[in-house]
Amino acid sequence: MTQGLTHNTGASVTVERDLASPISSYTIVRADGTPIGTADFVGTPGTSEERIFFHTEVCQDFGARGLVALLVSKALTDSIRENVTIVPLCPMFARHLQVHGDEFIANGGAFRQPTPDDIGVITRAALGET
């Protein structure tokens, strides 16, 4: 799934979702096809109704262009449409939801606070043990 967008300098970018196992991601890609940022997540085992976002990163050369906001917004919009609960283990997702969480919920979104078990899920996924 892709979505054409522009960052705050007006350049075109696309946000693509890769549903891989065990770690999936949203990737922001320049018009020339170069990936410049990613937001990684794992679905909670036994359910497809939660996504634990644990890492978001944008290349330093493209900082301060609103790219993280584009990644987070796309992931949250998809979660509303797909009725998926967000677990913001990643500080960037957590910060966004601290500021915009009420609006996200009002638009039909759902999120919960991460637990120590969520860290275990991420660790097992990173080690290929899921």
Side-chain angles (χ1 to χ4, degrees):
M1 172 183 311
T2 62
Q3 179 179 1
L5 304 164
T6 56
H7 60 69
N8 63 15
T9 66
S12 293
V13 294
T14 303
V15 176
E16 302 173 353
R17 183 172 66 177
D18 179 20
L19 295 176
S21 182
I23 298 174
S24 299
S25 63
Y26 283 86
T27 303
I28 196 156
V29 180
R30 291 183 353 178
D32 68 3
T34 305
I36 54 175
T38 187
D40 299 322
F41 66 94
V42 171
T44 302
T47 178
S48 61
E49 295 149 6
E50 288 188 340
R51 291 185 184 145
I52 304 169
F53 279 88
F54 65 94
H55 179 77
T56 303
E57 183 175 10
V58 171
C59 295
Q60 274 187 316
D61 293 345
F62 297 93
R65 297 182 188 191
L67 299 174
V68 170
L70 291 175
L71 282 168
V72 171
S73 294
K74 175 62 174 151
L76 296 180
T77 298
D78 283 355
S79 75
I80 292 169
R81 186 173 35 78
E82 298 167 7
N83 197 30
V84 173
T85 298
I86 297 293
V87 182
L89 194 57
C90 168
M92 292 181 195
F93 270 80
R95 190 170 27 257
H96 182 88
L97 288 169
Q98 282 178 334
V99 174
H100 303 286
D102 291 340
E103 178 184 345
F104 175 61
I105 290 169
N107 288 324
F111 71 96
R112 69 169 176 79
Q113 295 303 311
T115 66
D117 289 342
D118 297 323
I119 295 169
V121 169
I122 298 303
T123 301
R124 287 187 299 280
L127 295 173
E129 297 176 359
T130 56

